[in-house]
Amino acid sequence: MAKTLFDKIWDAHVVSSKEGFPDILYIDTHFIHEVTSPQAFDGLRKRGLPVFRPKQTVATADHNVPTWDQHLPIKEELSRYQVDMLTKNCAEFGVELYGLGHPYQGIVHVIGPELGITRPGSTYVCGDSHTSTHGAFGSIAFGIGTSQVEQVLATQCLLQSRPKRMKIEVNGTLQKGVGAKDIILYIISKISAAGGTGYFVEYAGDTIRSLSMEGRMTICNMSIEMGARGGLIAPDQTTIDYVKGREFAPKGEEWDKAVAYWQTLYSDEDAKFDSVLTFKAEDIEPMITYGTNPGMGIGVTQHVPATEDFEPKEQGSYKKALDYMGLHDDEQLLGKPIDYVFIGSCTNSRIEDLRQVAAFVKGKHKADNVVVWVVPGSKQVEQQAIAEGLDKIFESAGFPLREPGCSACLGMNEDKIPSGKYCVSTSNRNFEGRQGPNSRTFLASPLTAAAAAITGRVTDIREMLSASEFAELVD
Amino acid sequence: MTKIFKHIQTSVVPLPIENIDTDQIIPARFLKATTREGFGNNLFRDWRFDENDQPKEDFVLNHPTYSGKVLVAGKNFGCGSSREHAAWAISDYGFDAVVSSFFADIFKGNALNNGLLPVQVSDDFLKKIFDAVFADHTTVVDIDLENQVIKISSTGEQESFEINPYKKACLMNGYDDIDYILSNRAAVEEFEKAPNP
Ligand code: SF4
């Protein structure tokens, strides 16, 4: 029978399937971090159980870590406590920890791929909703709750019912200045922050195929922001080239065997999806969000909707979102002064993102009214950026390269956007208070964020790029 | 191993309020703990205690008349944030089941995962329970999980309820997801030995 890519991988990981019972799904790799693991370890201790497969468990500290002076003790007490607990738990249960100071430390969804741990055809979970990032390699990856973290630690398996399958196709050629982040913000703005609920999404079409692995990760990362369980993209030569030679990637004969298998991983031609959506790349402008969920996005030249455009029962929550953001009906964001720019998070903190930003800001200087934070996703990204001299470019543009972590993505560590301030952010969530109490977030691509850093305003990146400059940027 | 749940007969605690959200069940400021115990102390914290941590006498949990292993609450119980702590708090306080005419989806899943039975009844039957309890606080409710029936003992009125077959098996055998998977350990190890596809 014709199968979707999702079903091929799922079926290959079912340990047991019984009518009326959820499937027992085998998990190849379990990523853990300091925030959602302490209760899970505590549960194991109470049950007197070990970690079932410690070698298939990878830990890092990312959410709570400072991104400046990482060699000093963490100042915030709860953060320090959670990071210390992780260290203690990993030592006690024999789990490898890429903690602060380790050359592999970084945001969990950045380090998995760059270390070659994330590969096609496998299953990944983590107590973090953006685990969907790893789906970019053609694998099943999704976020789980704390009880499930305990379940996977104890058994290397997860009880799950099979979700529905959705295919989202994007075809055509992107406009200059438009990238992966704009594609996903566009899709979410069209289908809403709940449009993918109950589904696992496969992204397809020639536009998606043309993206680098970094771009694909950006797309899959935000699957959860449309309510989907996760997202994936069939592996191809781009995927194989990316994985090859990485630290934990298969080598020699193992590699050949793996590649042969990966080449079977695609949705069969007549495979059935429960829902199929199609978009045209040409329709996508550089995107920006104006509201308090990622579905509230518009092209950067458009105006925010008017309250009366909404159904009466939705008007209240729309008004509340606009009030929170300090915006009014029909306002145009273009030209609006902003206070902060955050370039980072598991959505956009990889070396390619930093290269793109550096290429754009080279020879320019940030606007005086803006504070700019550029936060690499991992220690390796940081080292690579320094090796390429990107740190020098950032410094002459008026902002230093910080140290790796989740940073201002979630306002849980020291990097918080102050109350009432506007931040153009390359992260994935614009919820009320997400970047700090009463912070106001405009989600956008790294290029749009970089443009805002230079002008101090919401800017249309297309206006700032000559054709030759653009060619350089995407090379 | 969690508690075995087959059949209970108990007086109930009535809370005839609709849309009780997880922030009421356990306020966010109590979520920082790194273990699961003790959340019962803060169950319905802001309804139960005043600013000086003194019990509010008019709240039903502070009322000597009402007690029992079953909480009966208004429609759409457990809405709001997905925090699992809400189920921990109710169970830790000592309830074995919650009866309502509708449960928020995530809460329902969290409750079942933690040995707390959500019993969804019709609006009509819910009203009958409240009427019976307010007429006589010693009213006993009988929940028979095996046959999926809930009965008001004094009046004999009863209704059947739905439950996922897997979750039913878990509750009746006193195992949770981890126990269930570990009972399939041989299959897991078999799977691991099979050559990768
Ligand atoms: S960068 Fe943000 S979204 Fe990504 S893992 Fe960290 S907190 Fe979560």
Side-chain angles (χ1 to χ4, degrees):
Chain A
M1 210 184 77
K3 278 188 185 181
T4 67
L5 168 62
F6 176 83
D7 289 288
K8 285 182 184 177
I9 304 171
W10 183 282
D11 291 344
H13 288 82
V14 171
V15 171
S16 143
S17 182
K18 210 157 113 186
E19 183 66 32
F21 281 46
D23 288 347
I24 300 181
L25 193 69
Y26 193 79
I27 302 302
D28 292 314
T29 302
H30 183 196
F31 294 105
I32 61 172
H33 61 78
E34 74 276 22
V35 178
T36 49
S37 65
Q39 274 148 351
F41 279 113
D42 190 58
L44 286 192
R45 233 173 255 128
K46 244 165 236 137
R47 290 171 192 261
L49 289 174
V51 171
F52 189 71
R53 294 291 177 255
K55 296 237 153 17
Q56 286 163 251
T57 312
V58 177
T60 190
D62 54 6
H63 283 64
N64 281 348
V65 303
T67 60
W68 202 248
D69 283 340
Q70 278 186 350
H71 59 285
L72 298 179
I74 300 175
K75 286 188 221 122
E76 278 185 2
E77 199 185 332
L78 180 70
S79 300
R80 191 175 63 239
Y81 177 68
Q82 286 189 332
V83 171
D84 289 349
M85 282 289 276
L86 182 70
T87 310
K88 189 174 144 277
N89 285 329
C90 286
E92 182 182 335
F93 287 89
V95 171
E96 180 89 58
L97 168 65
Y98 303 138
L100 274 184
H102 194 287
Y104 295 165
Q105 180 265 335
I107 304 173
V108 59
H109 312 310
V110 174
I111 69 170
E114 78 184 3
L115 290 171
I117 299 171
T118 307
R119 309 165 201 170
S122 302
T123 49
Y124 302 92
V125 294
C126 174
D128 185 284
S129 39
H130 297 93
T131 309
S132 56
T133 313
H134 307 260
F137 290 77
S139 57
I140 293 182
F142 53 91
I144 55 177
T146 295
S147 284
Q148 294 173 310
V149 171
E150 183 181 339
Q151 200 180 113
V152 180
L153 287 174
T155 69
Q156 203 58 36
C157 292
L158 191 69
L159 285 176
Q160 279 287 300
S161 303
R162 198 182 291 244
K164 292 183 284 183
R165 285 69 106 203
M166 177 188 280
K167 177 156 81 168
I168 297 183
E169 270 196 51
V170 187
N171 293 301
T173 312
L174 291 169
Q175 301 177 34
K176 69 169 186 173
V178 174
K181 182 64 167 287
D182 301 299
I183 299 177
I184 191 66
L185 284 174
Y186 177 81
I187 295 173
I188 302 170
S189 78
K190 291 295 170 202
I191 74 171
S192 92
T197 306
Y199 290 96
F200 216 96
V201 178
E202 179 177 345
Y203 301 95
D206 54 44
T207 315
I208 302 288
R209 284 267 142 260
S210 71
L211 297 174
S212 66
M213 282 320 293
E214 272 97 343
R216 296 179 191 187
M217 285 188 249
T218 301
I219 301 254
C220 289
N221 173 275
M222 291 193 71
S223 304
I224 185 82
E225 306 311 336
M226 58 176 99
R229 272 314 259 134
L232 78 176
I233 296 173
D236 55 12
Q237 199 55 43
T238 307
T239 322
I240 294 169
D241 293 345
Y242 182 96
V243 178
K244 189 165 188 179
R246 291 187 183 265
E247 180 81 30
F248 298 107
K251 308 268 149 55
E253 216 178 288
E254 289 289 303
W255 170 257
D256 298 335
K257 246 176 61 194
V259 170
Y261 171 54
W262 297 347
Q263 282 164 341
T264 68
L265 296 175
Y266 49 82
S267 286
D268 295 330
E269 201 145 325
D270 35 6
K272 272 232 165 339
F273 288 87
D274 301 286
S275 168
V276 178
L277 303 174
T278 319
F279 298 98
K280 282 213 281 291
E282 291 77 7
D283 293 345
I284 307 174
E285 269 195 273
M287 294 289 296
I288 191 154
T289 65
Y290 58 86
T292 51
N293 75 56
M296 301 172 86
I298 48 175
V300 69
T301 59
Q302 294 167 7
H303 294 235
V304 309
T307 307
E308 65 212 29
D309 299 345
F310 292 85
E311 299 280 323
K313 67 173 180 353
E314 290 169 3
Q315 291 183 358
S317 60
Y318 180 68
K319 252 199 100 358
K320 181 164 173 279
L322 276 200
D323 284 350
Y324 180 86
M325 292 299 294
L327 300 173
H328 56 78
D329 276 7
D330 212 30
E331 185 166 346
Q332 192 176 26
L333 295 187
L334 203 60
K336 190 169 181 69
I338 51 122
D339 311 291
Y340 282 75
V341 167
F342 170 55
I343 295 169
S345 90
C346 58
T347 317
N348 285 119
S349 64
R350 300 183 174 81
I351 189 66
E352 195 177 272
D353 300 311
L354 300 195
R355 280 185 194 136
Q356 206 183 39
V357 171
F360 176 77
V361 303
K362 190 170 183 177
K364 304 186 177 78
H365 198 276
K366 78 169 185 72
D368 291 340
N369 59 316
V370 185
V371 176
V372 183
W373 288 335
V374 180
V375 185
S378 71
K379 212 68 200 161
Q380 292 206 68
V381 171
E382 178 191 25
Q383 291 311 310
Q384 180 72 25
I386 292 171
E388 294 178 18
L390 307 187
D391 57 327
K392 296 281 171 326
I393 297 177
F394 295 139
E395 232 169 275
S396 357
F399 41 91
L401 177 67
R402 299 177 73 88
E403 292 171 285
C406 292
S407 185
C409 175
L410 87 166
M412 200 170 197
N413 47 68
E414 292 166 17
D415 304 345
K416 294 184 182 70
I417 306 303
S419 177
K421 298 291 184 196
Y422 287 104
C423 177
V424 176
S425 176
T426 66
S427 54
N428 44 46
R429 285 186 165 160
N430 50 357
F431 299 158
E432 285 187 19
R434 171 78 179 184
Q435 296 196 287
N438 294 312
S439 58
R440 292 162 164 171
T441 307
F442 295 137
L443 298 177
S445 73
L447 272 183
T448 297
I454 302 302
T455 61
R457 298 164 181 279
V458 174
T459 301
D460 185 348
I461 179 72
R462 292 169 298 186
E463 304 280 297
M464 295 187 75
L465 293 175
S466 65
S468 62
E469 258 183 326
F470 178 66
E472 241 168 73
L473 274 180
V474 290
D475 265 0
Chain B
M1 190 79 182
T2 52
K3 273 178 305 202
I4 293 186
F5 189 123
K6 288 190 171 148
H7 195 165
I8 52 169
Q9 275 186 306
T10 166
S11 56
V12 306
V13 176
L15 199 54
I17 301 173
E18 295 194 349
N19 304 312
I20 295 176
D21 63 59
T22 51
D23 266 294
Q24 303 311 323
I25 299 172
I26 180 89
R29 61 184 188 280
F30 297 112
L31 304 185
K32 287 185 178 166
T34 52
T35 69
R36 269 172 208 188
E37 279 75 41
F39 286 104
N41 296 334
N42 296 314
L43 174 65
F44 297 120
R45 181 75 202 194
D46 297 337
W47 287 349
R48 231 165 110 197
F49 299 98
D50 64 19
E51 313 75 80
N52 306 317
D53 292 336
Q54 294 308 306
K56 296 188 190 172
E57 273 176 26
D58 55 349
F59 185 63
V60 66
L61 291 188
N62 297 325
H63 215 290
T65 332
Y66 298 106
S67 66
K69 305 290 256 175
V70 172
L71 178 69
V72 183
K75 200 184 189 83
N76 198 22
F77 186 82
C79 53
S81 111
S82 62
R83 66 186 65 141
E84 202 168 336
H85 310 71
W88 297 344
I90 296 171
S91 171
D92 187 62
Y93 182 85
F95 289 114
D96 290 339
V98 185
V99 178
S100 174
S101 56
F102 187 79
F103 290 94
D105 231 28
I106 296 179
F107 174 80
K108 198 197 251 171
N110 288 338
L112 286 164
N113 278 340
N114 287 284
L116 179 69
L117 176 67
V119 180
Q120 188 163 321
V121 296
S122 64
D123 286 320
D124 212 32
F125 194 77
L126 185 69
K127 187 170 176 299
K128 283 182 185 152
I129 304 179
F130 282 134
D131 289 348
V133 176
F134 290 125
D136 173 6
H137 67 87
T138 65
T139 296
V140 166
V141 159
D142 181 318
I143 300 174
D144 174 358
L145 178 57
E146 167 117 63
N147 296 304
Q148 298 177 219
V149 170
I150 174 168
K151 188 161 105 185
I152 305 170
S153 299
S154 55
T155 65
E157 285 168 298
Q158 61 175 56
E159 193 170 275
S160 62
F161 60 88
E162 292 295 314
I163 180 168
N164 165 294
Y166 165 68
K167 290 300 176 190
K168 180 175 173 179
C170 284
L171 289 168
M172 298 214 29
N173 294 300
Y175 56 60
D176 63 9
D177 290 349
I178 292 181
D179 302 316
Y180 173 68
I181 301 174
L182 287 178
S183 74
N184 283 277
R185 189 182 173 126
V188 176
E189 285 173 350
E190 190 89 347
F191 178 92
E192 289 181 320
K193 273 193 234 116
N196 283 331

